Amino acid sequence: MQLLRHTLKDQSQLYVFVAVLFLVGVVFGALMVNALSLEQQQDLARYLGNFFRTVSQTQEAGGEPGPGSYWDIATLHLKWAGIIWVLGLSVIGLPGILILDFLKGVLIGFTVGYLVGQYAWKGLLFSLVAVAPHNLIVIPALFVCSVAAVSFSLQMIRSRVLTQRQGGLARPLLSYTALTAVMVAILLGISSFEVWVTPVMMKWVAPMLVASTG
């Protein structure tokens, strides 16, 4: 925790930059909804209609997710954090980290923007139970991973490129990896919530959206 407090204090400007980049992605993703063609909107509407009906039927059947579902979601989060960690190990990976943060914002902005645009307040309610809860933890955890990666990449630039010094990166690398490992543990924990709690909340709201889709 001391390591986390240290990075939050010393790298506040990077956190602000990453957060702004993410928010720009959210806005961009929401605006992308308006760029969909009528055919694309109809395809998405059919897909979501089938999805909501499946969720509602699962509620009636009393189905529960299994360990396989957990590892599907956990693996997705681990891949995201792992890619950020790998990109942070190289100078050329720096733009890739920022692109991933922007894309994460785009995905969330598009999802919420489409649900609200298509289903109004019901879509907003579904977003609040299906998208928001776990992302309140996932997004900050990925922010920490991203800032740690950017910071380490910049440290490599200063050490290897600007000052031409060799060595001296073992301790920063250890701290970077340790911080990423802590975030991975958090992501594994929130995956449990996403698998066993989020579907329950989705089942409460899904019948209303089934009625909206007819």
Side-chain angles (χ1 to χ4, degrees):
M1 292 303 295
Q2 184 177 358
L3 179 62
L4 182 57
R5 287 195 296 268
H6 175 75
T7 185
L8 286 172
K9 180 179 178 181
D10 293 352
Q11 300 166 351
S12 57
Q13 291 182 338
L14 279 178
Y15 279 103
V16 171
F17 178 75
V18 169
V20 170
L21 187 64
F22 170 79
L23 290 175
V24 170
V26 171
V27 173
F28 184 80
L31 293 176
M32 280 180 60
V33 175
N34 297 324
L36 293 175
S37 66
L38 179 60
E39 183 179 356
Q40 290 172 326
Q41 291 179 15
Q42 291 173 341
D43 289 341
L44 272 175
R46 281 194 295 270
Y47 171 80
L48 285 176
N50 291 333
F51 173 75
F52 295 138
R53 280 189 286 273
T54 300
V55 171
S56 183
Q57 290 167 3
T58 304
Q59 160 83 0
E60 296 171 359
E64 295 293 337
S69 301
Y70 170 82
W71 285 114
D72 287 342
I73 292 176
T75 300
L76 180 62
H77 293 321
L78 291 179
K79 285 180 178 178
W80 204 278
I83 292 172
I84 292 174
W85 182 81
V86 170
L87 290 174
L89 296 176
S90 64
V91 174
I92 60 174
L94 182 57
I97 299 167
L98 303 178
I99 290 172
L100 284 177
D101 292 325
F102 177 78
L103 288 178
K104 189 68 173 180
V106 170
L107 290 173
I108 292 178
F110 181 84
T111 302
V112 175
Y114 182 81
L115 286 170
V116 173
Q118 188 74 17
Y119 302 103
W121 68 270
K122 294 178 182 178
L124 178 60
L125 180 59
F126 188 81
S127 298
L128 289 175
V129 301
V131 180
H134 60 273
N135 275 309
L136 290 176
I137 304 298
V138 171
I139 297 305
L142 292 179
F143 278 6
V144 173
C145 290
S146 298
V147 170
V150 170
S151 179
F152 183 75
S153 184
L154 290 175
Q155 194 163 2
M156 288 184 62
I157 294 173
R158 288 192 295 266
S159 177
R160 299 291 175 83
V161 179
L162 298 181
T163 63
Q164 300 294 319
R165 289 186 303 174
Q166 299 298 319
L169 288 175
R171 187 170 181 178
L173 175 60
L174 181 61
S175 298
Y176 168 44
T177 303
L179 188 57
T180 302
V182 171
M183 294 304 106
V184 164
I186 292 174
L187 290 173
L188 288 175
I190 199 62
S191 296
S192 299
F193 179 92
E194 196 171 348
V195 170
W196 281 287
V197 179
T198 298
V200 175
M201 296 189 295
M202 288 168 58
K203 291 171 187 176
W204 296 341
V205 183
M208 292 188 295
L209 281 88
V210 171
S212 298
T213 59

